[in-house]
Every structure is written in structure tokens, then in C-alpha cells.
Amino acid sequence: MKDNKDKSYYGAVISLHEGNQNSYNSYKEQIKDTVYLSWLEAEELVLEGNKNEAIAILDEQIKHLRGLKLLSAVHYRDSMTQDE
């Protein structure tokens, strides 16, 4: 994880799940990649119980993503639907 955007993204996800809002906001401010920002939004929706809205965000993105981000989005979406 040499890339700071990856560190910031994963730091934000961990902080979000740990309930550390200050760290979450700090990490989130460092992220400029709109895909990663939308994944954080989706994760917030899941934690709030709005899984269908989160899945809709991913469904829209999947149409346009390529490579590793596409693979990540597909696996993330699958993990959301397996819990149902």
C-alpha cells in the first residue's frame, strides 16, 4: 500500500467501522478519487441500514469502471447481497 490514496481510503473505512468520526473525516478529506469517495458513501449507507441505496451506487458505477476498481466494486456488491 505505497499509494497514499489507498492508505487514506482504507484508513477511512477502518475509522468509520471503529466509530472514530474525527479520523474518518481526516482521512476522507485526503481522498480525491471520486470512486473511492462514492465507496465511502456506500459504506456509510450500509452502516445506516440503507443497503439498497449502497447497491444502487455500485450498480451505476459498475457500468463505467474497468480493471481493479471494477473487480473491487463487483466483489463489494456481492458481499452486500450475500448477507440478505
Side-chain angles (χ1 to χ4, degrees):
M1 287 189 11
K2 64 180 179 176
D3 194 345
N4 282 336
K5 72 178 179 181
D6 292 337
K7 288 179 185 177
S8 296
Y9 171 73
Y10 289 109
V13 170
I14 291 166
S15 297
L16 181 64
H17 282 273
E18 289 179 344
N20 188 338
Q21 194 65 38
N22 288 334
S23 289
Y24 173 71
N25 291 336
S26 177
Y27 282 119
K28 189 174 177 181
E29 288 174 3
Q30 297 174 35
I31 301 169
K32 305 300 179 215
D33 188 309
T34 58
V35 172
Y36 286 153
L37 288 171
S38 65
W39 290 352
L40 289 176
E41 179 185 348
E43 192 64 24
E44 289 176 26
L45 288 167
V46 169
L47 291 175
E48 293 169 359
N50 299 318
K51 191 184 297 185
N52 290 335
E53 289 178 48
I55 290 171
I57 289 172
L58 292 173
D59 285 343
E60 184 59 34
Q61 279 188 337
I62 287 170
K63 299 175 191 176
H64 307 286
L65 294 175
R66 299 286 178 263
L68 186 57
K69 286 182 179 177
L70 173 60
L71 182 62
S72 296
V74 168
H75 282 282
Y76 184 33
R77 186 193 189 288
D78 285 348
S79 73
M80 284 184 202
T81 59
Q82 288 176 357
D83 294 338
E84 294 178 345

